[in-house]
Amino acid sequence: MVGLGYIGLPTALLLAQNFEVVGYDIDKKKIEMLNNNIMPFEEPGLTELYNKVKQNFRASTEIEESDVFLIAVPTPLDKELKIADLSAVIDAAKKISRKLKQGNLVIVESTVPPKTCENVVKSLLDSSNKEYHLAYCPERAIPGKTIHEMIHNDRIIGGLDNKSARMAKEIYETFVKGEIHITNLTTAEMVKLMENTFRDVNIALANEFALIAEEVGINVWEAIELANHHPRVNILRPGPGVGGHCLAVDPWFLVELAPASNMIITSRTINDNMSFYIYKQRKKIVKSPSATITIWGVAYKGNVDDTRETPALKLIKILENEGYNVKIHDPHVKNFEYPIQSLEESVTDSSCIIVITDHDYFKNINPKDLKPLMKEHAILDTRNLISQEKWIKHGFKVKMLGAPNKT
Ligand code: SAJ
């Protein structure tokens, strides 16, 4: 397994139930942690799975000869050019081609623009002058439920040819209980991007509904709940913007191929601009311009420790730029660009709490304990997470994204 991140590591461990697996990563610290039985990130069930299969798994600083190579390295967005940065995939394919033996199978899991396997990965592997098989098998698991979804979701496998697809299917069948669907390399690449773009576009629609609801003066959360009683309507949830390494990134991999894709670009813009909107909303409840503002949650979504592309970062930078002092609390996140403070420290002298991440933990916080520490008593909830009644009862001004002010 080349790449031991949020996808590579759980996949490697699931494979280790039936195969001998060697995990490789360029991050030497991660290799050391794994070889000392320490998981490099939080994910339900990961430690248990590791303990179950560790006799078949070993982390290594070298890519070793193998029967099957899987590539699960990140493909971030080149923020300036808005195209996929394929350098990690290219590096992995080059390293693998040096170890390739006759008849080996190479599986790409990383999310890539259509034709990457055919045009980029294949040409790099061809330099080995070996006969090999190639498949593309995108992951579909959702962080927070990764292991469950890796086992139970259907999988799409695109093969360079039939034999490649069949060989990859045999590997995944050892742990996947969902159905495995076979297609060609490029269709499988496109399917992955279509799935995440579909979700991003639908979140943009929910966000747009929230902005309209604010104008109209109704509660968007109630309206969405009611609309979703229609048998063919399923509106997603508005929020502070879309984060994570998938939804905020993958739609651009389609745009780079078809720059006129209006709907995808518009949706990305709506979701990215939510940080500015939230910033403007704080004015409705905070009066003093140079106040301290508390951000609750910098993980990109609830109950995970992952901060990649978090909408919190943009909001923090906007607030700082405007002269606010920002304090941050997140019970899951340990490493972030800004210091993470304890719950109490994060609200001390603060004029307003902004709830960015829907961690369950925030639901049960008692406003009574925090009130004496704060300068002004206001909370802006971008996730419809807190109990408005409870906070109002303790004298807080409450603003919910997409709903009228409540005091
Ligand atoms: N979000 C909303 N409103 C919603 C749902 C999500 O604002 O109604 C926000 C979240 O807070 C978060 C972002 O969107 O910031 C993305 O979260 P997510 O839970 O929708 O998705 P990810 O990024 O954790 O995982 C997605 C999944 N893709 C789809 O559901 C189509 C997952 O299945 C993929 O495997 C993953 O991307 C990936 O790795 O590509």
Side-chain angles (χ1 to χ4, degrees):
M1 175 64 73
V2 181
L4 295 173
Y6 291 90
I7 297 304
L9 179 59
T11 306
L13 298 180
L14 286 166
L15 286 168
Q17 295 175 119
N18 292 287
F19 302 101
E20 190 197 327
V21 180
V22 181
Y24 164 82
D25 201 289
I26 50 164
D27 182 351
K28 297 211 164 60
K29 213 171 103 205
K30 201 181 270 177
I31 301 295
E32 207 181 296
M33 284 173 89
L34 283 165
N35 286 333
N36 285 315
N37 296 340
I38 303 165
M39 295 301 103
F41 53 88
E42 271 184 15
E43 182 60 44
L46 191 66
T47 308
E48 292 77 356
L49 180 61
Y50 177 83
N51 287 332
K52 203 174 109 195
V53 302
K54 65 181 172 196
Q55 69 286 353
N56 281 345
F57 175 81
R58 140 177 89 77
S60 169
T61 50
E62 295 284 319
I63 294 185
E64 300 178 14
E65 286 194 349
S66 183
D67 298 309
V68 182
F69 296 91
L70 288 100
I71 302 178
V73 294
T75 47
L77 182 71
D78 179 322
K79 293 235 165 68
E80 219 170 289
L81 301 174
K82 294 267 190 266
I83 59 169
D85 173 355
L86 293 176
S87 51
V89 171
I90 291 171
D91 183 57
K94 280 185 185 163
K95 284 177 177 152
I96 290 170
S97 89
R98 280 182 229 128
K99 300 284 171 180
L100 218 53
K101 289 180 290 154
Q102 212 65 16
N104 279 174
L105 169 65
V106 179
I107 300 174
V108 180
E109 284 216 8
S110 306
T111 306
V112 290
K115 296 255 178 233
T116 300
C117 285
E118 226 174 275
N119 294 347
V120 182
V121 178
K122 184 174 174 299
S123 63
L124 291 167
L125 297 178
D126 282 348
S127 66
S128 69
N129 289 322
K130 300 277 164 28
E131 209 180 284
Y132 64 90
H133 305 280
L134 175 63
Y136 180 68
C137 181
E139 55 78 19
R140 298 170 129 183
I142 199 135
K145 279 195 206 154
T146 296
I147 292 167
H148 176 87
E149 291 211 347
M150 278 182 173
I151 297 170
H152 295 280
N153 288 359
D154 282 11
R155 269 317 282 225
I156 310 296
I157 295 182
L160 177 63
D161 47 43
N162 260 339
K163 176 129 195 247
S164 297
R166 267 190 288 118
M167 284 173 81
K169 189 170 181 226
E170 267 177 45
I171 304 288
Y172 285 99
E173 266 170 355
T174 61
F175 70 87
V176 171
K177 294 196 174 136
E179 221 177 299
I180 298 180
H181 308 266
I182 301 283
T183 182
N184 59 49
L185 286 173
T186 308
T187 305
E189 290 168 329
M190 180 88 179
V191 167
K192 169 69 192 176
L193 296 174
M194 283 163 57
E195 291 167 1
N196 280 352
T197 302
F198 172 86
R199 194 157 170 84
D200 193 47
V201 168
N202 278 283
I203 297 169
L205 182 63
N207 282 332
E208 192 155 293
F209 286 152
L211 308 196
I212 297 169
E214 297 248 355
E215 292 297 320
V216 177
I218 62 134
N219 183 321
V220 78
W221 304 92
E222 183 196 354
I224 289 175
E225 204 268 318
L226 293 173
N228 285 350
H229 285 289
H230 186 291
R232 282 174 298 283
V233 173
N234 185 16
I235 302 167
L236 295 176
R237 294 166 64 82
V242 166
H245 62 302
C246 312
L247 267 55
V249 169
D250 300 353
W252 291 113
F253 296 3
L254 290 177
V255 174
E256 76 176 69
L257 301 166
S261 36
N262 297 330
M263 184 182 286
I264 302 175
I265 296 174
T266 305
S267 303
R268 281 278 70 247
T269 309
I270 293 171
N271 290 336
D272 276 351
N273 282 348
M274 287 308 287
S275 310
F276 291 107
Y277 190 74
I278 303 297
Y279 168 69
K280 282 191 197 141
Q281 283 202 319
R282 67 78 194 70
K283 271 199 177 143
K284 294 187 178 162
I285 47 175
V286 184
K287 296 285 168 270
S288 44
S290 58
T292 294
I293 292 194
T294 304
I295 300 291
W296 276 0
V298 289
Y300 81 93
K301 68 173 189 176
N303 308 318
V304 301
D305 65 354
D306 188 344
T307 62
R308 284 175 295 174
E309 308 298 327
T310 174
L313 189 60
K314 197 162 162 192
L315 177 64
I316 293 166
K317 288 190 170 156
I318 298 169
L319 286 165
E320 281 196 337
N321 238 5
E322 295 294 324
Y324 288 91
N325 177 33
V326 181
K327 292 182 157 193
I328 300 165
H329 177 61
D330 190 307
H332 290 270
V333 173
K334 283 161 208 85
N335 301 312
F336 189 56
E337 281 89 334
Y338 289 80
I340 307 276
Q341 297 175 308
S342 70
L343 178 66
E344 288 74 19
E345 277 166 28
S346 78
V347 297
T348 301
D349 295 329
S350 175
S351 293
C352 178
I353 299 164
I354 305 183
V355 181
I356 292 294
T357 310
D358 42 353
H359 291 315
D360 288 337
Y361 161 89
F362 293 133
K363 289 184 197 163
N364 302 320
I365 289 174
N366 193 346
K368 191 169 155 224
D369 302 336
L370 304 183
K371 197 176 171 194
L373 303 173
M374 293 181 70
K375 205 162 161 187
E376 287 179 66
H377 303 109
I379 183 159
L380 166 52
D381 181 1
T382 66
R383 297 280 192 174
N384 190 16
L385 191 71
I386 60 156
S387 154
Q388 291 197 53
E389 287 66 36
K390 187 168 83 177
W391 285 77
I392 289 167
K393 200 176 108 200
H394 288 98
F396 276 76
K397 267 189 252 171
V398 179
K399 172 83 189 87
M400 189 80 72
L401 170 68
N405 270 16
K406 280 203 173 172
T407 36

PDB file of all heavy atoms in Angstrom, residues 330-356:
ATOM      1  N   ASP A 330     -11.430  22.982  19.876  1.00  0.00           N
ATOM      2  CA  ASP A 330     -11.923  21.801  19.146  1.00  0.00           C
ATOM      3  C   ASP A 330     -11.498  20.571  19.934  1.00  0.00           C
ATOM      4  O   ASP A 330     -10.300  20.320  20.101  1.00  0.00           O
ATOM      5  CB  ASP A 330     -11.353  21.754  17.718  1.00  0.00           C
ATOM      6  CG  ASP A 330     -12.051  20.685  16.889  1.00  0.00           C
ATOM      7  OD1 ASP A 330     -12.097  19.517  17.347  1.00  0.00           O
ATOM      8  OD2 ASP A 330     -12.569  21.002  15.811  1.00  0.00           O
ATOM      9  N   PRO A 331     -12.461  19.800  20.441  1.00  0.00           N
ATOM     10  CA  PRO A 331     -12.102  18.662  21.290  1.00  0.00           C
ATOM     11  C   PRO A 331     -11.445  17.505  20.530  1.00  0.00           C
ATOM     12  O   PRO A 331     -10.845  16.631  21.149  1.00  0.00           O
ATOM     13  CB  PRO A 331     -13.454  18.212  21.855  1.00  0.00           C
ATOM     14  CG  PRO A 331     -14.458  18.668  20.849  1.00  0.00           C
ATOM     15  CD  PRO A 331     -13.908  19.934  20.256  1.00  0.00           C
ATOM     16  N   HIS A 332     -11.542  17.497  19.199  1.00  0.00           N
ATOM     17  CA  HIS A 332     -10.975  16.378  18.431  1.00  0.00           C
ATOM     18  C   HIS A 332      -9.607  16.693  17.822  1.00  0.00           C
ATOM     19  O   HIS A 332      -8.811  15.791  17.587  1.00  0.00           O
ATOM     20  CB  HIS A 332     -11.925  15.982  17.289  1.00  0.00           C
ATOM     21  CG  HIS A 332     -13.181  15.341  17.773  1.00  0.00           C
ATOM     22  ND1 HIS A 332     -13.306  13.981  17.951  1.00  0.00           N
ATOM     23  CD2 HIS A 332     -14.363  15.875  18.130  1.00  0.00           C
ATOM     24  CE1 HIS A 332     -14.519  13.708  18.397  1.00  0.00           C
ATOM     25  NE2 HIS A 332     -15.185  14.837  18.514  1.00  0.00           N
ATOM     26  N   VAL A 333      -9.386  17.998  17.519  1.00  0.00           N
ATOM     27  CA  VAL A 333      -8.194  18.350  16.735  1.00  0.00           C
ATOM     28  C   VAL A 333      -6.991  18.623  17.635  1.00  0.00           C
ATOM     29  O   VAL A 333      -7.099  19.347  18.628  1.00  0.00           O
ATOM     30  CB  VAL A 333      -8.498  19.601  15.871  1.00  0.00           C
ATOM     31  CG1 VAL A 333      -7.254  20.113  15.170  1.00  0.00           C
ATOM     32  CG2 VAL A 333      -9.589  19.264  14.844  1.00  0.00           C
ATOM     33  N   LYS A 334      -5.856  18.026  17.265  1.00  0.00           N
ATOM     34  CA  LYS A 334      -4.628  18.261  18.038  1.00  0.00           C
ATOM     35  C   LYS A 334      -3.669  19.182  17.286  1.00  0.00           C
ATOM     36  O   LYS A 334      -2.971  19.979  17.895  1.00  0.00           O
ATOM     37  CB  LYS A 334      -3.947  16.927  18.351  1.00  0.00           C
ATOM     38  CG  LYS A 334      -4.655  16.195  19.484  1.00  0.00           C
ATOM     39  CD  LYS A 334      -4.319  14.714  19.527  1.00  0.00           C
ATOM     40  CE  LYS A 334      -5.442  13.905  20.123  1.00  0.00           C
ATOM     41  NZ  LYS A 334      -6.486  13.542  19.129  1.00  0.00           N
ATOM     42  N   ASN A 335      -3.631  19.062  15.972  1.00  0.00           N
ATOM     43  CA  ASN A 335      -2.695  19.884  15.183  1.00  0.00           C
ATOM     44  C   ASN A 335      -3.454  20.808  14.245  1.00  0.00           C
ATOM     45  O   ASN A 335      -4.275  20.348  13.454  1.00  0.00           O
ATOM     46  CB  ASN A 335      -1.774  18.993  14.334  1.00  0.00           C
ATOM     47  CG  ASN A 335      -0.991  18.051  15.200  1.00  0.00           C
ATOM     48  OD1 ASN A 335      -0.402  18.456  16.196  1.00  0.00           O
ATOM     49  ND2 ASN A 335      -1.019  16.779  14.841  1.00  0.00           N
ATOM     50  N   PHE A 336      -3.146  22.110  14.366  1.00  0.00           N
ATOM     51  CA  PHE A 336      -3.814  23.087  13.504  1.00  0.00           C
ATOM     52  C   PHE A 336      -2.896  24.290  13.338  1.00  0.00           C
ATOM     53  O   PHE A 336      -1.966  24.486  14.130  1.00  0.00           O
ATOM     54  CB  PHE A 336      -5.160  23.496  14.158  1.00  0.00           C
ATOM     55  CG  PHE A 336      -6.041  24.321  13.264  1.00  0.00           C
ATOM     56  CD1 PHE A 336      -6.419  23.858  12.012  1.00  0.00           C
ATOM     57  CD2 PHE A 336      -6.504  25.571  13.681  1.00  0.00           C
ATOM     58  CE1 PHE A 336      -7.233  24.624  11.184  1.00  0.00           C
ATOM     59  CE2 PHE A 336      -7.322  26.342  12.858  1.00  0.00           C
ATOM     60  CZ  PHE A 336      -7.684  25.866  11.610  1.00  0.00           C
ATOM     61  N   GLU A 337      -3.171  25.101  12.327  1.00  0.00           N
ATOM     62  CA  GLU A 337      -2.345  26.288  12.057  1.00  0.00           C
ATOM     63  C   GLU A 337      -2.351  27.266  13.230  1.00  0.00           C
ATOM     64  O   GLU A 337      -1.453  28.073  13.396  1.00  0.00           O
ATOM     65  CB  GLU A 337      -2.858  27.041  10.820  1.00  0.00           C
ATOM     66  CG  GLU A 337      -2.443  26.427   9.495  1.00  0.00           C
ATOM     67  CD  GLU A 337      -3.413  25.387   8.989  1.00  0.00           C
ATOM     68  OE1 GLU A 337      -4.135  24.764   9.817  1.00  0.00           O
ATOM     69  OE2 GLU A 337      -3.461  25.181   7.774  1.00  0.00           O
ATOM     70  N   TYR A 338      -3.431  27.250  14.030  1.00  0.00           N
ATOM     71  CA  TYR A 338      -3.575  28.163  15.163  1.00  0.00           C
ATOM     72  C   TYR A 338      -3.634  27.331  16.445  1.00  0.00           C
ATOM     73  O   TYR A 338      -4.058  26.177  16.405  1.00  0.00           O
ATOM     74  CB  TYR A 338      -4.883  28.963  15.031  1.00  0.00           C
ATOM     75  CG  TYR A 338      -4.854  30.000  13.936  1.00  0.00           C
ATOM     76  CD1 TYR A 338      -5.057  29.645  12.603  1.00  0.00           C
ATOM     77  CD2 TYR A 338      -4.615  31.340  14.237  1.00  0.00           C
ATOM     78  CE1 TYR A 338      -5.037  30.598  11.595  1.00  0.00           C
ATOM     79  CE2 TYR A 338      -4.596  32.299  13.230  1.00  0.00           C
ATOM     80  CZ  TYR A 338      -4.811  31.923  11.918  1.00  0.00           C
ATOM     81  OH  TYR A 338      -4.784  32.870  10.923  1.00  0.00           O
ATOM     82  N   PRO A 339      -3.288  27.941  17.607  1.00  0.00           N
ATOM     83  CA  PRO A 339      -3.358  27.163  18.850  1.00  0.00           C
ATOM     84  C   PRO A 339      -4.795  26.778  19.199  1.00  0.00           C
ATOM     85  O   PRO A 339      -5.718  27.564  18.982  1.00  0.00           O
ATOM     86  CB  PRO A 339      -2.797  28.110  19.908  1.00  0.00           C
ATOM     87  CG  PRO A 339      -2.429  29.368  19.227  1.00  0.00           C
ATOM     88  CD  PRO A 339      -2.777  29.287  17.787  1.00  0.00           C
ATOM     89  N   ILE A 340      -4.957  25.562  19.696  1.00  0.00           N
ATOM     90  CA  ILE A 340      -6.267  25.089  20.143  1.00  0.00           C
ATOM     91  C   ILE A 340      -6.293  25.259  21.662  1.00  0.00           C
ATOM     92  O   ILE A 340      -5.374  24.806  22.345  1.00  0.00           O
ATOM     93  CB  ILE A 340      -6.470  23.591  19.797  1.00  0.00           C
ATOM     94  CG1 ILE A 340      -6.202  23.323  18.325  1.00  0.00           C
ATOM     95  CG2 ILE A 340      -7.824  23.080  20.259  1.00  0.00           C
ATOM     96  CD1 ILE A 340      -7.319  23.580  17.391  1.00  0.00           C
ATOM     97  N   GLN A 341      -7.343  25.900  22.167  1.00  0.00           N
ATOM     98  CA  GLN A 341      -7.402  26.151  23.604  1.00  0.00           C
ATOM     99  C   GLN A 341      -8.439  25.263  24.285  1.00  0.00           C
ATOM    100  O   GLN A 341      -9.271  24.647  23.609  1.00  0.00           O
ATOM    101  CB  GLN A 341      -7.723  27.632  23.821  1.00  0.00           C
ATOM    102  CG  GLN A 341      -6.616  28.509  23.263  1.00  0.00           C
ATOM    103  CD  GLN A 341      -6.936  29.984  23.354  1.00  0.00           C
ATOM    104  OE1 GLN A 341      -7.983  30.423  22.912  1.00  0.00           O
ATOM    105  NE2 GLN A 341      -6.030  30.741  23.923  1.00  0.00           N
ATOM    106  N   SER A 342      -8.399  25.274  25.614  1.00  0.00           N
ATOM    107  CA  SER A 342      -9.411  24.504  26.347  1.00  0.00           C
ATOM    108  C   SER A 342     -10.752  25.211  26.174  1.00  0.00           C
ATOM    109  O   SER A 342     -10.804  26.383  25.764  1.00  0.00           O
ATOM    110  CB  SER A 342      -9.046  24.442  27.833  1.00  0.00           C
ATOM    111  OG  SER A 342      -9.232  25.735  28.389  1.00  0.00           O
ATOM    112  N   LEU A 343     -11.815  24.534  26.535  1.00  0.00           N
ATOM    113  CA  LEU A 343     -13.160  25.113  26.394  1.00  0.00           C
ATOM    114  C   LEU A 343     -13.250  26.447  27.135  1.00  0.00           C
ATOM    115  O   LEU A 343     -13.692  27.461  26.576  1.00  0.00           O
ATOM    116  CB  LEU A 343     -14.190  24.113  26.940  1.00  0.00           C
ATOM    117  CG  LEU A 343     -15.631  24.568  26.908  1.00  0.00           C
ATOM    118  CD1 LEU A 343     -16.118  24.724  25.481  1.00  0.00           C
ATOM    119  CD2 LEU A 343     -16.518  23.561  27.647  1.00  0.00           C
ATOM    120  N   GLU A 344     -12.803  26.443  28.393  1.00  0.00           N
ATOM    121  CA  GLU A 344     -12.910  27.646  29.229  1.00  0.00           C
ATOM    122  C   GLU A 344     -12.050  28.784  28.685  1.00  0.00           C
ATOM    123  O   GLU A 344     -12.516  29.911  28.558  1.00  0.00           O
ATOM    124  CB  GLU A 344     -12.517  27.363  30.689  1.00  0.00           C
ATOM    125  CG  GLU A 344     -13.530  26.526  31.462  1.00  0.00           C
ATOM    126  CD  GLU A 344     -13.517  25.061  31.055  1.00  0.00           C
ATOM    127  OE1 GLU A 344     -12.510  24.604  30.461  1.00  0.00           O
ATOM    128  OE2 GLU A 344     -14.516  24.359  31.317  1.00  0.00           O
ATOM    129  N   GLU A 345     -10.792  28.462  28.349  1.00  0.00           N
ATOM    130  CA  GLU A 345      -9.905  29.508  27.798  1.00  0.00           C
ATOM    131  C   GLU A 345     -10.501  30.100  26.523  1.00  0.00           C
ATOM    132  O   GLU A 345     -10.404  31.306  26.272  1.00  0.00           O
ATOM    133  CB  GLU A 345      -8.542  28.922  27.417  1.00  0.00           C
ATOM    134  CG  GLU A 345      -7.559  28.788  28.551  1.00  0.00           C
ATOM    135  CD  GLU A 345      -6.382  27.893  28.133  1.00  0.00           C
ATOM    136  OE1 GLU A 345      -6.047  27.818  26.936  1.00  0.00           O
ATOM    137  OE2 GLU A 345      -5.828  27.240  29.021  1.00  0.00           O
ATOM    138  N   SER A 346     -11.134  29.248  25.717  1.00  0.00           N
ATOM    139  CA  SER A 346     -11.617  29.718  24.413  1.00  0.00           C
ATOM    140  C   SER A 346     -12.717  30.763  24.550  1.00  0.00           C
ATOM    141  O   SER A 346     -12.905  31.569  23.642  1.00  0.00           O
ATOM    142  CB  SER A 346     -12.094  28.539  23.552  1.00  0.00           C
ATOM    143  OG  SER A 346     -13.368  28.098  23.957  1.00  0.00           O
ATOM    144  N   VAL A 347     -13.453  30.760  25.661  1.00  0.00           N
ATOM    145  CA  VAL A 347     -14.549  31.731  25.792  1.00  0.00           C
ATOM    146  C   VAL A 347     -14.204  32.901  26.730  1.00  0.00           C
ATOM    147  O   VAL A 347     -14.968  33.866  26.809  1.00  0.00           O
ATOM    148  CB  VAL A 347     -15.865  31.068  26.283  1.00  0.00           C
ATOM    149  CG1 VAL A 347     -16.359  30.055  25.272  1.00  0.00           C
ATOM    150  CG2 VAL A 347     -15.706  30.458  27.655  1.00  0.00           C
ATOM    151  N   THR A 348     -13.069  32.800  27.412  1.00  0.00           N
ATOM    152  CA  THR A 348     -12.723  33.854  28.365  1.00  0.00           C
ATOM    153  C   THR A 348     -12.558  35.199  27.642  1.00  0.00           C
ATOM    154  O   THR A 348     -11.813  35.295  26.663  1.00  0.00           O
ATOM    155  CB  THR A 348     -11.430  33.465  29.135  1.00  0.00           C
ATOM    156  OG1 THR A 348     -11.697  32.233  29.800  1.00  0.00           O
ATOM    157  CG2 THR A 348     -11.034  34.527  30.151  1.00  0.00           C
ATOM    158  N   ASP A 349     -13.304  36.218  28.124  1.00  0.00           N
ATOM    159  CA  ASP A 349     -13.320  37.580  27.542  1.00  0.00           C
ATOM    160  C   ASP A 349     -13.913  37.644  26.141  1.00  0.00           C
ATOM    161  O   ASP A 349     -13.798  38.663  25.458  1.00  0.00           O
ATOM    162  CB  ASP A 349     -11.911  38.208  27.500  1.00  0.00           C
ATOM    163  CG  ASP A 349     -11.369  38.425  28.896  1.00  0.00           C
ATOM    164  OD1 ASP A 349     -12.194  38.664  29.800  1.00  0.00           O
ATOM    165  OD2 ASP A 349     -10.146  38.310  29.084  1.00  0.00           O
ATOM    166  N   SER A 350     -14.513  36.568  25.692  1.00  0.00           N
ATOM    167  CA  SER A 350     -15.058  36.545  24.325  1.00  0.00           C
ATOM    168  C   SER A 350     -16.415  37.247  24.269  1.00  0.00           C
ATOM    169  O   SER A 350     -17.158  37.276  25.254  1.00  0.00           O
ATOM    170  CB  SER A 350     -15.188  35.090  23.873  1.00  0.00           C
ATOM    171  OG  SER A 350     -15.816  35.028  22.625  1.00  0.00           O
ATOM    172  N   SER A 351     -16.725  37.799  23.084  1.00  0.00           N
ATOM    173  CA  SER A 351     -18.023  38.444  22.899  1.00  0.00           C
ATOM    174  C   SER A 351     -18.988  37.553  22.138  1.00  0.00           C
ATOM    175  O   SER A 351     -20.189  37.789  22.122  1.00  0.00           O
ATOM    176  CB  SER A 351     -17.855  39.748  22.110  1.00  0.00           C
ATOM    177  OG  SER A 351     -17.140  40.656  22.894  1.00  0.00           O
ATOM    178  N   CYS A 352     -18.453  36.555  21.463  1.00  0.00           N
ATOM    179  CA  CYS A 352     -19.341  35.725  20.632  1.00  0.00           C
ATOM    180  C   CYS A 352     -18.685  34.377  20.347  1.00  0.00           C
ATOM    181  O   CYS A 352     -17.485  34.301  20.054  1.00  0.00           O
ATOM    182  CB  CYS A 352     -19.596  36.460  19.319  1.00  0.00           C
ATOM    183  SG  CYS A 352     -20.607  35.553  18.159  1.00  0.00           S
ATOM    184  N   ILE A 353     -19.491  33.324  20.416  1.00  0.00           N
ATOM    185  CA  ILE A 353     -19.024  31.987  20.014  1.00  0.00           C
ATOM    186  C   ILE A 353     -19.593  31.720  18.622  1.00  0.00           C
ATOM    187  O   ILE A 353     -20.787  31.955  18.395  1.00  0.00           O
ATOM    188  CB  ILE A 353     -19.545  30.906  20.992  1.00  0.00           C
ATOM    189  CG1 ILE A 353     -19.041  31.161  22.410  1.00  0.00           C
ATOM    190  CG2 ILE A 353     -19.173  29.507  20.511  1.00  0.00           C
ATOM    191  CD1 ILE A 353     -19.808  30.385  23.486  1.00  0.00           C
ATOM    192  N   ILE A 354     -18.752  31.248  17.717  1.00  0.00           N
ATOM    193  CA  ILE A 354     -19.282  30.826  16.410  1.00  0.00           C
ATOM    194  C   ILE A 354     -19.076  29.309  16.298  1.00  0.00           C
ATOM    195  O   ILE A 354     -17.940  28.826  16.349  1.00  0.00           O
ATOM    196  CB  ILE A 354     -18.593  31.538  15.226  1.00  0.00           C
ATOM    197  CG1 ILE A 354     -18.675  33.071  15.399  1.00  0.00           C
ATOM    198  CG2 ILE A 354     -19.227  31.120  13.908  1.00  0.00           C
ATOM    199  CD1 ILE A 354     -18.070  33.873  14.238  1.00  0.00           C
ATOM    200  N   VAL A 355     -20.175  28.580  16.176  1.00  0.00           N
ATOM    201  CA  VAL A 355     -20.088  27.114  16.055  1.00  0.00           C
ATOM    202  C   VAL A 355     -19.890  26.780  14.580  1.00  0.00           C
ATOM    203  O   VAL A 355     -20.769  27.016  13.754  1.00  0.00           O
ATOM    204  CB  VAL A 355     -21.367  26.423  16.571  1.00  0.00           C
ATOM    205  CG1 VAL A 355     -21.236  24.903  16.460  1.00  0.00           C
ATOM    206  CG2 VAL A 355     -21.684  26.849  17.993  1.00  0.00           C
ATOM    207  N   ILE A 356     -18.713  26.239  14.273  1.00  0.00           N
ATOM    208  CA  ILE A 356     -18.397  25.912  12.874  1.00  0.00           C
ATOM    209  C   ILE A 356     -18.559  24.420  12.600  1.00  0.00           C
ATOM    210  O   ILE A 356     -19.055  24.019  11.567  1.00  0.00           O
ATOM    211  CB  ILE A 356     -16.936  26.359  12.535  1.00  0.00           C
ATOM    212  CG1 ILE A 356     -16.853  27.889  12.555  1.00  0.00           C
ATOM    213  CG2 ILE A 356     -16.469  25.809  11.199  1.00  0.00           C
ATOM    214  CD1 ILE A 356     -17.657  28.582  11.454  1.00  0.00           C
TER     215      ILE A 356
END
